[in-house]
Amino acid sequence: MTTNPAGTAGPTSGKDRVQKFGRFLSAMVMPNIGAFIAWGLITALFIPTGWLPNEQLGKLVGPMITYLLPLLIAYTGGRIVADHRGGVLGAIAAMGVIVGTDIPMFIGAMIMGPLGGWVIKQFDRNVQHRIAPGFEMLVNNFSAGIIGMLLAILGFFAVGPVVELFSKAVASGVQFLVNVHLLPLVSLLIEPGKILFLNNAINHGILTPLGTAQAQETGKSIYFLLEANPGPGLGLLLAYWVFAKGSIRSSAPGAAIIHFLGGIHEVYFPYVLMRPILLLGVIAGGMSGVATLVALNGGLVSASSPGSIFAILALTPRGGYFANIAAVVVAAAVSFLVSAVFLRGASYTEDDLASAQADSRANKGGPAVGAPALASAGPAIGEGGAVRKVVFACDAGMGSSAMGATGFRKKVQAAGLPIEVTNTAIDAIPADADIVVTQQNLTSRARAKAPQARHVSIDNFIGNPIYDRMVTELQASAQATQVPAPAVSAQTAPVHTAHTLHAAPGVSAATALAGAGTMGTSAAVPQGKGDVLRRENIVLGLGSVARDQAVVRAGEQLVKSGYVSSDYVPAMLEREKVVSTYIGNGIAIPHGVGAAKAAIKTSGIVVNQYPDGVDFDGERAYLVIGIAGAGDEHLQILSRIADALEDEATVMRLARTRDADEIYRTFTS
């Protein structure tokens, strides 16, 4: 299998910039859709006009929309820009616009969240390298506090009032369209925008904030159904099934099921691009659906994501089922009839669909027609260590990646491979992903988010023949690992580099820990495992600190225990600047390399437990294991540690235990 290296960036078109901005907006909202749905369900159930009116539980509605939802958006926006620290600053900054206005501040949160992340990122970039050792925590905490305070004040007095005026102006404009019966015209923008893959940006970046504000006042909002209505796409696909000719006709029913029941609207976009005049069909369907909603006073209590008929029914308020179902049916019927006019007698083949899918990828910012699925040859996916988790990733983590993961999971299960297959958004790729599968135009972003993984770049998530090749290579790799490897003595073991210790792509945490055993090559007095790891060198319940402080603490413990000289500690910090020693699964193994081996007196290991974690370049380490390796006497303990820490449940248990003996027994028995 091949991996797609980051290519040279070409000129950025206006469409690319709009799509990038739209993806950023939706990326702040979509990870928090569950919170929106929770708020919507509470609203539908417990407000006075709900299904189960309850005065006490109804009190949840106001605080959730005023504080919880905007703060989640702001935190997510700040975290996208500058990880957890940026998220915290974004949330602080957003409190200014929340408190300083009288309306739900979703748009204000979308401004202040990324702004807070950007400001603290610039501060850290210009100041961090000038902080004297030992003052990192002081500077980091007070800088965040001071900058956060200033941003909150800025939001309160400047940004909040401006956003409030803008929000009221937009709401007035939309209300004007409703009053003059012109709201259906928004489909002239929404339906073509969806084909250009601006659907998530339109729905979650614009309509969701407007709809949530309206739903707070009226208990529902029509805005939630302007883009999410599956009727236009359903009518188009049914028209293909009934009136089109050729082999493409048989593909339409399956696409219709995925679109209507699964809520994955992207599947019908290529069908429009095969015959662009069909855009008139989905526009007509969208307009008729909106007109029906206006006439019958339809709407949802919260954002519907994905746009499945099941999600729409679940979020329909009491008394609103007729209006919403009618809007879907009317939209589908009109789209079907208009599309039928242009499809009668038309003949299409699978090649036509493939070409249209390529055009669709180009609209999304992907490769041009005819571009190869994999850009260059590379190592097989089964090489470089055992594969335990394969992650499919896309912008939102709910649509195309979910479909790809579903298909590949079945192939893996049929092959009897013990591999977990999941899907997620690009910005939420887990640290323990062994292989990450993305579309070509997203691979560079996935690499930046999950540099520890092997990356497979594809052109299409659905029915890709590459999946069979992946399974074949994974089977071959699994069979190969069952063959006992020849024993390698400590004297002939190769010296591992710093990159090996970082769990390079394809290298598991166990491999990285085992590699740490050969950091030094100097001779040492033979030791027992009790001398390498002592009970007194296991420290529990430490409060969260900055990464460098955690590294220094581990180094000072190694010095105090007589394992290394004081020169080893600066070398550990330098090592951390080169590449993080976080190896996944909540574990970091700070150590020195290169010239630092001269500072090692004898092999030793120290274990520091941080129940709330330490931020290692965006990853949370709960066990920080300082290592100094002079010879081979500590390899047995490292091997035991590696075995134990491969199990995430074990890591979490050890990260919370109050018994140092439990950690000692786990690592030495």
Side-chain angles (χ1 to χ4, degrees), residues 210-232:
L210 292 174
T212 306
Q214 185 183 55
Q216 182 189 26
E217 299 177 0
T218 64
K220 64 182 177 181
S221 175
I222 192 175
Y223 302 138
F224 293 133
L225 267 174
L226 295 183
E227 186 276 338
N229 188 343

Side-chain angles (χ1 to χ4, degrees), residues 559-581:
V559 173
K560 183 178 179 181
S561 299
Y563 297 128
V564 299
S565 68
S566 59
D567 294 337
Y568 192 73
V569 180
M572 295 173 72
L573 290 172
E574 287 300 317
R575 168 65 178 81
E576 210 66 46
K577 293 178 181 178
V578 175
V579 62
S580 174
T581 56

Side-chain angles (χ1 to χ4, degrees), residues 440-522:
Q440 288 175 320
N441 59 303
L442 298 177
T443 300
S444 59
R445 287 174 57 194
R447 283 185 187 279
K449 189 64 180 178
Q452 83 287 348
R454 284 158 284 170
H455 290 262
V456 176
S457 181
I458 62 176
D459 61 351
N460 183 23
F461 278 119
I462 310 303
N464 201 310
I466 291 175
Y467 298 160
D468 292 328
R469 181 179 167 190
M470 290 175 64
V471 171
T472 299
E473 293 182 8
L474 289 170
Q475 284 179 308
S477 175
Q479 293 171 358
T481 57
Q482 293 174 1
V483 179
V488 179
S489 66
Q491 288 76 13
T492 61
V495 177
H496 287 61
T497 66
H499 295 289
T500 302
L501 291 169
H502 180 54
V507 180
S508 66
T511 306
L513 271 170
T518 55
M519 289 184 299
T521 57
S522 59

